[in-house]
Amino acid sequence: MQLPVGRYRGNILYGLKFALFLLLLWVPLFNMCGCTATNTINTPPDTALINIPLLEKWSGDYPVSELGRLPGEQQDMAAGYIGDTETFIPVWRAFMPGEILPAVDFSKNIVVFTRNVQFYNRTSIFKVELQDGAAEIFAMETMSAMPIEEKVAMAMAVIPRKGVMSIEVGTEKIQVVDFK
């Protein structure tokens, strides 16, 4: 018995050509409909995302016994900021005991910090973004399951104070107090 293949082969080729034609017709239309557009085009200037420059940054170990030197409401948080010399000096001495105290102009800048509060993971701040006055700190961490015992890994960075009204820490925000 012989199957009439030739009759169906023509219909299949016609169907494939038609499907390919429709595909080629729709691809340019999808590209013109905004698939390549970004959401920042229509974003008003006051809600734009701004990368804040890191003026200086440090990473190291911070003794758990010295967490009381951090600003009061930030001692248990994964991130925060230091906005005055009186707080920065004792924190720096615990953080980098043998290093020279860096000169930070707190009238123009603040020092942000981040640390892991669950495990000992080395960390480094690589970016700070500002949107609607809220600064979000981005840090890289090593991944370990070592418990926090005598020290925590901490990273600090100096950023400009201008425009920063709060620091985002997960779902919470820490209000940045004006320099006095």
Side-chain angles (χ1 to χ4, degrees):
M1 177 170 152
Q2 188 174 7
L3 296 173
V5 175
R7 188 171 79 197
Y8 296 110
R9 185 178 298 158
N11 290 342
I12 291 173
L13 288 177
Y14 175 75
L16 287 174
K17 287 179 186 178
F18 185 70
L20 184 60
F21 171 75
L22 287 177
L23 181 66
L24 291 175
L25 181 67
W26 282 102
V27 167
L29 291 176
F30 280 127
N31 283 334
M32 291 187 300
C33 291
C35 293
T36 58
T38 63
N39 63 353
T40 57
I41 291 175
N42 296 324
T43 304
D46 59 334
T47 62
L49 198 61
I50 300 167
N51 283 326
I52 300 176
L54 302 177
L55 306 176
E56 288 187 72
K57 66 179 193 169
W58 311 276
S59 294
D61 293 333
Y62 194 86
V64 170
S65 61
E66 302 298 327
L67 288 174
R69 295 182 183 203
L70 294 172
E73 68 280 355
Q74 302 172 42
Q75 293 172 3
D76 295 328
M77 298 187 126
Y81 84 99
I82 299 168
D84 61 80
T85 306
E86 294 76 30
T87 306
F88 182 64
I89 291 172
V91 169
W92 179 262
R93 289 194 176 135
F95 182 55
M96 297 282 182
E99 299 292 321
I100 297 172
L101 180 73
V104 178
D105 182 357
F106 283 100
S107 66
K108 297 178 183 174
N109 305 310
I110 60 174
V111 174
V112 294
F113 65 87
T114 184
R115 62 194 175 96
N116 191 311
V117 293
Q118 296 175 339
F119 299 104
Y120 178 82
N121 294 332
R122 295 228 174 257
T123 184
S124 176
I125 296 172
F126 67 91
K127 177 170 68 168
V128 178
E129 290 182 343
L130 182 69
Q131 185 171 20
D132 296 330
E136 185 175 3
I137 304 166
F138 293 88
M140 295 182 290
E141 291 185 359
T142 60
M143 299 303 282
S144 75
M146 292 174 35
I148 294 173
E149 292 176 353
E150 295 179 11
K151 59 186 177 180
V152 296
M154 189 160 119
M156 297 191 334
V158 178
I159 63 169
R161 180 184 283 270
K162 184 179 178 184
V164 179
M165 295 184 288
S166 64
I167 306 292
E168 286 187 16
V169 185
T171 58
E172 298 182 45
K173 288 186 180 183
I174 302 168
Q175 296 302 314
V176 174
V177 180
D178 289 336
F179 182 73
K180 298 173 185 165

